[in-house]
Amino acid sequence: MNQNGSITLFQYWNRLRDGRPAPKRSEVEPADIKSLLADTFILERDTRGQAVFRLAGTRLCASYGRELKGFSFPSLWREKDQRLVSKLIHGVFDQKSVVLIMFEGFNRNGRSNKFELLALPLDGGVENPRCLGVISAVEKPFWLGADPLTDALIDSIRVIDPEKELLASRPAIDVPSLVPAELEAPETISALGRARRIRHLVVFDGGREE
């Protein structure tokens, strides 16, 4: 994690969970993270089983030029990445994974900007899984918030083991060449107690032993 928003939210979430796989959604106090609220979101699973926005901060909505509540989360990405995004978020819902995504967002005029997205599980019960997240712009160009993002492509992903200290120097995992068969593999989003090889990729845990 390189962006202050991701680091701050992760530390807050980690304190709340206190060794559990995830904190309860009722334990999250907006006042505790008020400096992050404009960039944060909460996802839920709808009746179709899809990940949709339950809540989204004002800056996020401005970046996409619309109210995001009820909007499909994977649909923010280009079609070729939507299935991967969906699998990753369902890993957050079902396996309590912590996922970090670096992506490039594009507006209708072809301008682009890099973003860091952190997705964290919340315990809402088996029937009501939730995901707490933040999207941080790596840079803040003049057009962001005025010229809406219409498309996005994943640059890299990392699944973090919150029990271990994240190594800032650990390279992220390039994902453009993932194919559908690989997306079905549980290794792509399973808890990482060791390195796992996925064809040409190696997935590492998020840190080192204490």
Side-chain angles (χ1 to χ4, degrees):
M1 286 174 279
N2 295 314
Q3 301 304 307
N4 288 335
S6 298
I7 295 169
T8 302
L9 189 64
F10 177 81
Q11 291 174 342
Y12 174 71
W13 172 88
N14 203 36
R15 288 196 303 271
L16 283 184
R17 75 183 186 93
D18 192 25
R20 296 169 294 172
K24 294 185 180 299
R25 56 181 175 143
S26 60
E27 294 176 308
V28 177
E29 292 290 344
D32 294 340
I33 52 172
K34 60 184 178 181
S35 65
L36 302 177
L37 290 180
D39 298 315
T40 58
F41 60 87
I42 292 179
L43 304 179
E44 64 182 352
R45 182 182 284 152
D46 69 6
T47 56
R48 300 165 297 174
Q50 296 183 7
V52 299
F53 285 95
R54 182 177 178 84
L55 295 170
T58 54
R59 189 154 42 224
L60 281 185
C61 292
S63 294
Y64 286 93
R66 59 177 174 268
E67 171 58 56
L68 292 173
K69 184 177 180 179
F71 200 79
S72 167
F73 183 72
S75 69
L76 297 182
W77 274 264
R78 195 166 296 180
E79 186 175 358
K80 78 181 191 70
D81 284 342
Q82 289 179 9
R83 192 178 181 194
L84 174 57
V85 169
S86 180
K87 296 290 284 187
L88 290 169
I89 293 303
H90 283 292
V92 178
F93 285 158
D94 300 331
Q95 301 177 24
K96 300 298 184 286
S97 301
V98 175
V99 175
L100 188 72
I101 301 175
M102 293 297 300
F103 69 94
E104 187 169 8
F106 302 87
N107 67 21
R108 67 190 65 171
N109 295 317
R111 295 189 178 103
S112 67
N113 196 47
K114 299 287 188 178
F115 297 85
E116 182 175 88
L117 184 155
L118 177 68
L120 302 159
L122 294 177
D123 182 2
V126 176
E127 299 299 324
N128 296 290
R130 296 285 189 269
C131 167
L132 171 67
V134 62
I135 296 178
S136 305
V138 174
E139 296 180 354
K140 295 178 174 61
F142 71 92
W143 53 267
L144 189 60
D147 196 351
L149 298 173
T150 58
D151 197 9
L153 282 172
I154 294 176
D155 288 333
S156 62
I157 59 172
R158 179 180 292 149
V159 179
I160 297 168
D161 183 346
E163 298 297 338
K164 300 177 181 179
E165 182 182 354
L166 178 65
L167 291 178
S169 59
R170 177 67 55 78
I173 304 165
D174 294 330
V175 299
S177 56
L178 282 174
V179 297
E182 290 163 318
L183 303 186
E184 296 295 339
E187 290 89 340
T188 59
I189 53 176
S190 61
L192 300 178
R194 57 191 181 279
R196 300 175 183 269
R197 181 169 295 278
I198 306 173
R199 297 194 183 180
H200 65 290
L201 303 177
V202 178
V203 180
F204 294 93
D205 62 23
R208 59 175 179 270
E209 298 291 345
E210 297 292 340

